[in-house]
Amino acid sequence: MSQKKRLSKAARRRRQRNRRVALFVVGLLAVGAVWLGILLFLNGKKEDAGQKKQTEQQTEEEANVTETPQPTATPTPQPLPSVDMSGINSRSGILIRLSDGQTVAEKDADAQIYPASMTKMMTAIVAIENISDLNEPITLSPELFAPLYEEGASMAGFAPGDQVSALDLLYGVLLPSGAECCIGLADQIAGSESAFADMMNAKAQELGMTATHFVTCTGLHDPEHYTTVRDLTKLMIYALQNETFRTIFCTKQYTTSPVASAPDGLTFSSSMFDKMDSPAVNGGEIEGGKTGYTSDAGLCLASLAVVDGTEYICVTAGAEGNTWTEPYHVYDAQNIYNQIDPSAGSGSDQTDGTDAAASDTAENAAA
């Protein structure tokens, strides 16, 4: 073999060897790059997991941080108007601002009184809360009338055997102070007046009327049937939150649905408003009320008025006179409300939203 051929063959072997070396190096670099990528990926996942755990820990720590509670601002008490009850005709009296129950003025407010037909406010609210359907017809049993006639109780005008809706009976309770309406509701709800009186006493206890005891649902006199004017404001504050009660309490006139004895219905008027020239008082008006009278109780009145957007309730009892004399209980309410400065305590309470004027039931000779 010639020298030239040997050199050519050796060169080919070198080139092949170099190619193999180059391929090996390239393969080694490729494998290294793959492993580097895997390592970087795994390290990134580890870092991500660590960051996620750290974030979760921070979030948990932040969630567990209890913020320091900020003190609640104490509302500035609204000033109470200045009212003097020393000159009223009634033996007991009290004026309350309805929004916060603050006593504005009082006169022997804790003295025991006979509530007469102011009792019927409790009769009405207990009945409202225990009758699911106020359109329910209730038959007035003939047996309930004779005792009421004998005692001279005030009556709404229904006749024995009339079927009357519960709602119409409630208007009869609070507007004309109908004793037959009270007994009809009591019999329907509790089976008897005495059982209904137990319900009235339970409600009185619930409302914190600790100086009150009811025997009747009509307010006819009984020496064990008593309360105080302060206790009656607790009842009013509660009852006036009930829309049905408030609407009836603040109604001047109402006509019932037809009944057998009155095919055109009976029209009830608020005798309280009949005894005043106008419900207007200084800066407002008297919105509603419930009168009462027996010879033992004297003239009584529980009323609601608004003065410059603020509502007040006033209860007086024991005024001299009767249903045929001057209405000294109404005069007392007007006197008390007219003493309220319209700018004092304004904005502390707003009326509850009924536009109906005033409702009450002035009692006749008994209850």
Side-chain angles (χ1 to χ4, degrees):
M1 182 180 295
S2 67
Q3 180 69 25
K4 185 178 180 179
K5 288 182 178 181
R6 287 197 299 270
L7 290 174
S8 176
K9 188 176 181 179
R12 286 197 300 272
R13 285 198 296 269
R14 284 196 298 272
R15 285 195 297 271
Q16 291 174 352
R17 185 172 60 250
N18 289 338
R19 282 197 298 271
R20 287 196 294 271
V21 170
L23 289 172
F24 175 79
V25 172
V26 169
L28 185 62
L29 290 174
V31 171
V34 170
W35 278 107
L36 180 61
I38 292 172
L39 290 175
L40 289 175
F41 174 78
L42 293 176
N43 187 56
K45 293 287 287 183
K46 184 176 180 180
E47 289 180 355
D48 289 344
Q51 290 178 350
K52 181 178 180 182
K53 184 176 181 180
Q54 183 178 6
T55 302
E56 290 175 350
Q57 289 176 343
Q58 289 176 347
T59 303
E60 184 177 356
E61 289 173 358
E62 291 172 357
N64 291 332
V65 173
T66 302
E67 294 184 3
T68 304
Q70 299 299 316
T72 302
T74 303
T76 303
Q78 293 292 328
L80 291 171
S82 177
V83 173
D84 181 11
M85 283 193 173
S86 61
I88 63 175
N89 300 288
S90 302
R91 292 191 294 272
S92 297
I94 189 169
L95 178 67
I96 298 287
R97 187 166 61 193
L98 185 57
S99 64
D100 54 12
Q102 289 292 309
T103 300
V104 178
E106 61 182 273
K107 174 186 177 182
D108 292 334
D110 296 308
Q112 188 178 99
I113 65 163
Y114 297 122
S117 280
M118 291 191 295
T119 298
K120 290 166 184 166
M121 295 188 296
M122 179 64 87
T123 301
I125 191 63
V126 171
I128 289 168
E129 293 182 342
N130 286 277
I131 295 179
S132 58
D133 181 8
L134 294 181
N135 293 315
E136 173 187 352
I138 296 174
T139 301
L140 298 179
S141 169
E143 288 75 21
L144 68 82
F145 285 84
L148 298 177
Y149 292 147
E150 290 174 6
E151 294 190 69
S154 57
M155 308 290 279
F158 292 111
D162 276 345
Q163 284 195 326
V164 189
S165 73
L167 183 62
D168 284 352
L169 289 177
L170 286 166
Y171 276 96
V173 167
L174 291 177
L175 270 63
S177 205
E180 81 274 35
C181 302
C182 298
I183 301 296
L185 288 167
D187 287 347
Q188 179 73 16
I189 294 168
S192 68
E193 183 179 17
S194 61
F196 189 81
D198 290 339
M199 297 173 67
M200 295 168 67
N201 285 318
K203 177 58 72 173
Q205 184 176 8
E206 176 188 325
L207 298 180
M209 299 171 65
T210 57
T212 295
H213 183 258
F214 294 112
V215 176
T216 74
C217 61
T218 60
L220 287 164
H221 181 69
D222 186 295
E224 295 303 312
H225 186 92
Y226 55 80
T227 186
T228 67
V229 295
R230 192 185 308 279
D231 268 7
L232 288 177
T233 63
K234 297 175 184 178
L235 169 60
M236 293 183 71
I237 290 171
Y238 174 80
L240 286 168
Q241 296 178 57
N242 182 284
E243 183 178 351
T244 300
F245 180 94
R246 178 182 273 262
T247 297
I248 300 173
F249 192 79
C250 294
T251 297
K252 284 184 175 179
Q253 191 173 79
Y254 175 82
T255 300
T256 71
S257 299
V259 293
S261 65
D264 295 326
L266 295 174
T267 297
F268 302 144
S269 296
S270 169
S271 55
M272 182 187 72
F273 288 101
D274 289 343
K275 296 180 183 298
M276 59 176 66
D277 295 332
S278 169
V281 293
N282 185 30
E285 68 174 343
I286 297 176
E287 298 180 297
K290 181 71 195 77
T291 60
Y293 170 77
T294 65
S295 57
D296 294 279
L299 293 169
C300 310
L301 176 62
S303 59
L304 168 71
V306 59
V307 178
D308 195 30
T310 299
E311 284 189 325
Y312 298 88
I313 53 178
C314 179
V315 182
T316 59
E320 295 295 331
N322 54 51
T323 54
W324 298 280
T325 66
E326 292 292 304
Y328 298 111
H329 50 342
V330 174
Y331 294 164
D332 281 347
Q334 292 172 319
N335 174 12
I336 291 166
Y337 290 130
N338 276 319
Q339 291 185 55
I340 300 173
D341 182 351
S343 64
S346 62
S348 175
D349 176 41
Q350 297 297 321
T351 61
D352 204 18
T354 66
D355 293 330
S359 154
D360 141 279
T361 310
E363 328 314 289
N364 295 327

